[in-house]
Structures are given as C-alpha cells and as structure tokens.
Amino acid sequence: MSEKRPTTRSSLDRELRAIEDDMLRMGEMVDEAIQGSLRALAERDRGLAQQIVDGDARVNKLRFDIEEACLALMATQQPAAGDLRTVVAAMNVVGDLERMADHAAGNARIVLRMGDEPLLKPLIDIPRMADVCRSMIRDSLQAFVRRDGERARQIAAMDDQIDGLYQQVFRELLSFMVEDPHTTSRALFLLFAAHNLERIGDRATNIAERVLFMTSGVMRELNPEPRESHDLQ
Amino acid sequence: MQQAARVSDFTAMMMMDENRAGGMIEFEATEAIFTRPKNPRTEDYVTGRFG
Amino acid sequence: MAESNQAKIVVEDLSVYYEGTLAVADVSLVIPERRITALIGPSGCGKSTFLRCLNRMNDPIPAARVEGRILLDQEDITGAEVEVDELRRRVGMVFQKPNPFPQSVFANVAFGPRVLGMAGRRAQLAERVERSLTRAALWDEVKDRLNDNALSLSLGEQQRLCIARLLAVEPEVILMDEPCSALDPIATLKIEELMRELSQRYTIVIVTHNMQQAARASDLTAMMMLRDDRAGGVIEVGPTQTIFTRPRDRRTEDYITGRYG
C-alpha cells in the first residue's frame, strides 16, 4: 500500500478509523475483564467477579455495534482490495474478542461458584498465563491498526508460552487430585480457569492470523512450528 | 469498475507514466485484482483513492 | 449525522402530467436542509421530472402540468405569483452534460452575479469569483487560466465550473441531475467529495442511476419506481445506510441487489 494516500475517500477513511477505534476500545474492555477476573480469583472478591459477569453484556453489544458499522460500510462504500480485507478482518476480530470476554466472564463465574473454599495453592502460573494473554491481545490489536504483518507473525509464538504454562498447571493439579481426591473440586476450579486462559490465547492467535491476512492477502494458520505452516490460499 | 469486477474473468490495469504514455501495470484474475492487487497504484485506483 | 434536521423542502402530493398522462404520481417527500438526498430508481420512473419541479424547470415545457404543493422554507413555490428567476437563484441545478458558456472561466462565474446586480465593484466581483471557484474545488486548477475558454477545461473541470457558476449567486439548494454520468471514475469521486463539503453549507438533491454513488455519497435515499399505472412514485425513503443494508420494500431490495426485469 502506498504511503501518502490521496483523499478521494474521506468518508470511507473516516468510517474505517471509527471501526478501528471501537475495536481498540473493545480490546480494552476484554483486557479489563481478564485482569479483573484474575484479581477476583486471587483476592476472592465476589463483588468484583459479579461486576465482570454483568459487564459482559456491554462487550457483546459493542461487538454487534461494530459488526453493524462494518455492514454499513460494505453496503455504502463498496470497499475493495485492502479496504475490503480490513473490514472483513475487523468483523472476525471482534468475534474473537467477544469470545475472549466470554472466557474471562467464565473465570469470574468460577470465583462466584467457588464459595469460601480456600485456594488449593498460591496462584503462580495462572496469573502468568493471563499476563501473556493480555500482551498478545494488546500487541495484535496494535499490529492491526499499524498494518504490521511481521509483528503479527511474531505474536503467534507467544501462544507457545501459554500452552507450556497450561501443561504445567495441568500436571500440577493432576498430581494434587491423584494424591488427595478430596482436593478434586478445588483443583478443577483452577483447571477450568487455566483452560479459559488457554482458549483466550488461541483466540489472540486468531487475531494475529487476521492481521496477517489483512496485510498479505493470504489466509494462513500461524502454527507454533513455522516449518509446518500451510498456505490456505 | 464494479462492472469489470462483476463480469470479467481477468482484469488488466492500465495507467499513464510520467511521459503520459499508457501501459499495463498489472494483469491478474479479476478476483485477485479486487481483493489483493500487487501493484500499489492498482490498489489506489480500485479503492478509489485518486489524487 | 443528526436524524432530525430541519426540512428545507417539503413536497406534498406532487403529481406531474405530460399531455394529460400521469407521469409522476402523488409524491410526498421531506428534503432535510444541509444534507444530501439521493433519488434512485430505474430509467423512466420520473426522477428527473420530479427533480425539475423543485425549481420549476418544467414550466417551459408546455405539455407539462404540475399538481400539489412544494414548500421551500414553508412557502409554496408552485403558485403563479412566485418569482421564478429568484427561485432558480436559490435552487440551482447542475446537469448531466456539463454546459459552461463558451466564454472565459471568469466570465462564466461572473455571469450570474452581473445579471442579478450582485457584482459590485471589480475587486468584489473578483473576490466572489475566486470564492466560488474555491468552494467548487476548482480554484487551484484554473487560477492561472481565468481568461481561458471554459471549453478548454476537462469534462470534470467543466462540471465543477458549472457548480462554481451557481455557487456565485448564493443558492440554498443545489439540484444535481446525473451530474457524473459523463465523467470518469476519478472526476466522479472528486465531485462526490465536493458534494460532501458543499453539504455543510447547502442542501443537495441528486438524481443518479448509479446506485453505488447514491450509497457512497448521500445521507438520505428515496427509491422511485413505476407503479402499475405507469406513473412514477416514491416507494421507500430512509437513511441511506438503512436503505442499503435492510430496505423494507421488496422492490427496493430487488433493485438494489440488481435483480430486476
């Protein structure tokens, strides 16, 4: 795409920017939900957890508003080439963001379901997973607005970290349950929380894939092992 | 332009150079020209961004 | 965009007869001020006939008869006592084929003000001409060619000159009858950008057979179609975004999706 672009599509450009701004705002809401649900888990804050569950409706609404804006833009501005890929990518990304918010709300619900039982173990790997997730989301959305396909490619590698941490959590909680079956329900709560975060990481990889599609025009799965990646063209 | 997109199988993008001579700058399957053109000048033209 | 803008023109039960045959039937429409309203529909459905009623350009056609009311700022313009020249100053028109006078660029834009006694002193007139050409996004292209014959301009430039010509007499409404049909895509998009800018000051009504143009460039879209009695009527009107994403009338949907005949 050329650097300095002529301005005979000012309405189109304005509408695209508005969609991107809303997408970033949605990303912030997802980030808050992830961070909040983790804090609620660590601090056993049921009030905070409830807030996050209630806030999910706002995220859903924003998703539909953005999709509506994309629909209107396609109908009225007939985007082509890069513009078209951007709008299509944005529609997919907000779907992924909405699912992420669902997973974060799922973790908040876990806090509510856990009642007053003490945490089975101090939280170490789970918060690390959340941190990596949040970085991936922030970075992939930035890559989107900057049209940075190279950055998007790198983000996929971060998902390896999340998968690694998840394996660790799984093994650790499994051994708790094997050693003392009475810990099972508490272990499962933590396992579900970790699983939600692992799903969030997958969704963030999807976003990176969409960014790469947007910039390159090619839809490719971003595998952890680049040598095995396939062109789905 | 939308007509070209609708009815053709292949599209040739022609443009003037600085000497005002016309030439073909890109030739592709129509679907590729309108979803992922290779030449930035083709991209500018099909997206309607003219100076 | 504010949904509830003031009405600039209110059309009430407008019908047009050509030699006794009904051509446009019972059109009622509200044209909001400082917005762009597009009229779309198949050929022959009466769009241009309707448009011409808004500044009484059907008057010179002896076979045409108009019934109903057209209110400009709440005053009916259809009466015999209305000053038609003044009406056409306030409600100007741009045509499909650019029609500059075979005179210099400057003389084209100065013509209206001179005839209407708005010219004032030479410096004031020059200022008015420059302002009009600037507002028509043409000044940069012609500022060193003001004495050149208008017909030496490209078609796109000629069309913008026609717009400058009508801006020079300080209109309130700009009617456009297929203004880009004779122009290439580049000139067309430039005019669309210009329309967007002009709509901040002027009310614009455009007739176009180019649906994508209506979708891109307008705020409100009215769909016209021939009824069974072969007279044209408005079958649906709404915000452009709505008309092009979820029209209510099946016939509008068919037309917009290109499924007709």
Side-chain angles (χ1 to χ4, degrees):
Chain A
M1 280 202 298
S2 41
E3 277 300 349
K4 198 158 191 295
R5 312 204 66 198
T7 55
T8 39
R9 297 305 299 268
S10 55
S11 294
L12 168 58
D13 288 338
R14 208 174 32 240
E15 285 179 41
L16 274 175
R17 259 199 313 275
I19 286 169
E20 286 180 355
D21 285 346
D22 278 346
M23 193 179 68
L24 289 176
R25 196 154 56 89
M26 198 177 165
E28 277 167 32
M29 291 166 77
V30 170
D31 182 78
E32 275 169 34
I34 295 172
Q35 184 192 27
S37 60
L38 253 295
R39 208 169 76 231
L41 181 62
E43 294 167 15
R44 312 304 298 279
D45 187 342
R46 300 166 63 89
L48 176 57
Q50 188 62 54
Q51 266 178 48
I52 288 164
V53 169
D54 295 339
D56 196 43
R58 273 198 310 274
V59 180
N60 293 344
K61 178 172 190 311
L62 184 52
R63 182 254 184 117
F64 286 127
D65 288 348
I66 295 173
E67 284 193 347
E68 179 67 30
C70 290
L71 182 68
L73 188 150
M74 284 194 281
T76 57
Q77 297 292 332
Q78 307 102 41
D83 296 332
L84 178 61
R85 299 198 307 271
T86 299
V87 177
V88 169
M91 286 189 80
N92 284 307
V93 166
V94 298
D96 284 318
L97 286 174
E98 193 262 327
R99 290 296 297 136
M100 287 184 201
D102 281 348
H103 287 300
N107 281 354
R109 280 195 198 89
I110 286 172
V111 175
L112 296 175
R113 275 206 298 272
M114 280 173 80
D116 295 317
E117 288 193 323
L119 285 176
L120 180 58
K121 60 176 290 291
L123 300 175
I124 300 178
D125 288 333
I126 285 177
R128 278 198 198 121
M129 288 176 78
D131 284 340
V132 180
C133 282
R134 291 171 64 201
S135 290
M136 284 182 79
I137 295 168
R138 209 167 17 240
D139 289 352
S140 58
L141 292 179
Q142 278 303 312
F144 190 110
V145 301
R146 295 200 187 116
R147 308 282 189 269
D148 189 348
E150 213 21 71
R151 186 77 192 98
R153 209 187 293 264
Q154 295 163 2
I155 288 164
M158 290 167 77
D159 195 33
D160 288 348
Q161 295 176 46
I162 295 179
D163 288 345
L165 287 166
Y166 181 63
Q167 299 295 339
Q168 244 167 256
V169 169
F170 185 92
R171 277 193 297 267
E172 199 182 347
L173 292 175
L174 189 59
S175 58
F176 266 102
M177 289 190 272
V178 161
E179 213 177 281
D180 177 7
H182 290 296
T183 64
T184 299
S185 69
R186 290 190 289 157
L188 286 179
F189 281 130
L190 293 183
L191 188 57
F192 288 146
H195 183 75
N196 274 324
L197 290 169
E198 190 263 333
R199 303 268 66 233
I200 288 175
D202 275 352
R203 293 281 173 180
T205 304
N206 285 357
I207 293 180
E209 281 170 1
R210 293 294 172 189
V211 175
L212 196 53
F213 160 70
M214 186 177 64
T215 56
S216 70
V218 174
M219 192 57 211
R220 178 186 281 137
E221 257 189 86
L222 293 174
N223 277 346
E225 289 94 0
R227 264 158 304 189
E228 288 179 24
S229 72
H230 305 284
D231 263 292
L232 299 177
Q233 204 177 345
Chain B
M1 231 191 301
Q2 279 87 26
Q3 178 171 66
R6 280 193 301 270
V7 306
S8 70
D9 303 304
F10 288 90
T11 298
M13 177 74 213
M14 297 191 69
M15 251 196 192
M16 273 194 301
D17 62 20
E18 325 73 55
N19 303 318
R20 307 194 58 86
M24 188 174 75
I25 65 171
E26 192 165 353
F27 180 82
E28 291 277 8
T30 294
E31 164 245 308
I33 290 272
F34 288 93
T35 56
R36 48 183 78 85
K38 296 202 177 80
N39 192 314
R41 292 163 73 202
T42 308
E43 169 104 23
D44 278 349
Y45 188 79
V46 306
T47 59
R49 288 183 168 78
F50 317 119
Chain C
M1 183 195 80
E3 288 305 335
S4 53
N5 243 38
Q6 294 263 53
K8 183 68 181 171
I9 298 179
V10 179
V11 178
E12 287 176 0
D13 303 313
L14 184 76
S15 293
V16 182
Y17 295 82
Y18 276 133
E19 289 175 353
T21 305
L22 187 61
V24 172
D26 302 315
V27 171
S28 294
L29 192 61
V30 173
I31 307 234
E33 79 169 339
R34 280 178 278 123
R35 290 286 183 266
I36 302 174
T37 299
L39 288 164
I40 63 171
S43 296
C45 67
K47 311 190 291 288
S48 294
T49 303
F50 170 78
L51 190 75
R52 283 198 302 272
C53 291
L54 300 183
N55 67 352
R56 293 184 50 172
M57 288 293 280
N58 286 322
D59 283 10
I61 302 174
R65 190 178 95 241
V66 173
E67 281 177 8
R69 302 206 309 158
I70 299 173
L71 307 176
L72 175 64
D73 290 338
Q74 287 123 47
E75 279 177 28
D76 192 356
I77 60 160
T78 59
E81 73 291 350
V82 169
E83 254 290 349
V84 168
D85 288 338
E86 172 65 5
L87 171 64
R88 295 191 187 129
R89 179 193 68 75
R90 294 174 67 193
V91 183
M93 196 157 195
V94 179
F95 300 89
Q96 181 169 337
K97 195 165 167 303
N99 56 6
F101 304 132
Q103 298 179 317
S104 72
V105 170
F106 187 95
N108 263 270
V109 185
F111 182 86
R114 279 177 175 147
V115 160
L116 293 175
M118 296 164 96
R121 312 249 294 273
R122 176 187 300 242
Q124 283 171 302
L125 180 60
E127 227 178 80
R128 181 184 286 270
V129 168
E130 179 176 340
R131 195 168 57 236
S132 307
L133 287 167
T134 302
R135 284 206 189 144
L138 189 59
W139 176 250
D140 283 340
E141 275 111 314
V142 302
K143 63 180 187 269
D144 298 322
R145 307 199 264 157
L146 292 176
N147 290 326
D148 285 5
N149 192 298
L151 299 174
S152 68
L153 301 181
S154 72
L155 274 183
E157 289 168 340
Q158 286 185 29
Q159 194 63 303
R160 278 178 279 150
L161 178 62
C162 293
I163 292 173
R165 196 172 55 186
L166 73 87
L167 293 182
V169 296
E170 292 166 29
E172 294 156 40
V173 181
I174 301 174
L175 306 178
M176 305 178 107
D177 193 353
E178 310 264 12
C180 301
S181 294
L183 308 179
D184 64 54
I186 294 176
T188 295
L189 281 186
K190 284 188 175 169
I191 299 248
E192 286 175 20
E193 289 286 313
L194 174 58
M195 282 166 61
R196 189 40 76 192
E197 245 180 78
L198 290 174
S199 69
Q200 293 186 33
R201 272 207 182 80
Y202 311 99
T203 300
I204 298 182
V205 187
I206 175 172
V207 160
T208 178
H209 66 251
N210 181 337
M211 249 183 297
Q212 281 80 34
Q213 176 171 75
R216 278 191 305 267
S218 71
D219 302 307
L220 199 71
T221 296
M223 174 79 208
M224 282 188 79
M225 216 159 229
L226 283 182
R227 312 185 316 182
D228 291 328
D229 58 1
R230 315 293 298 160
V234 170
I235 62 168
E236 187 169 356
V237 58
T240 295
Q241 182 178 316
T242 305
I243 293 280
F244 284 90
T245 52
R246 39 181 80 82
R248 272 187 321 250
D249 196 304
R250 176 88 239 187
R251 295 167 293 174
T252 308
E253 167 114 15
D254 281 347
Y255 183 72
I256 278 166
T257 57
R259 294 177 164 83
Y260 26 82

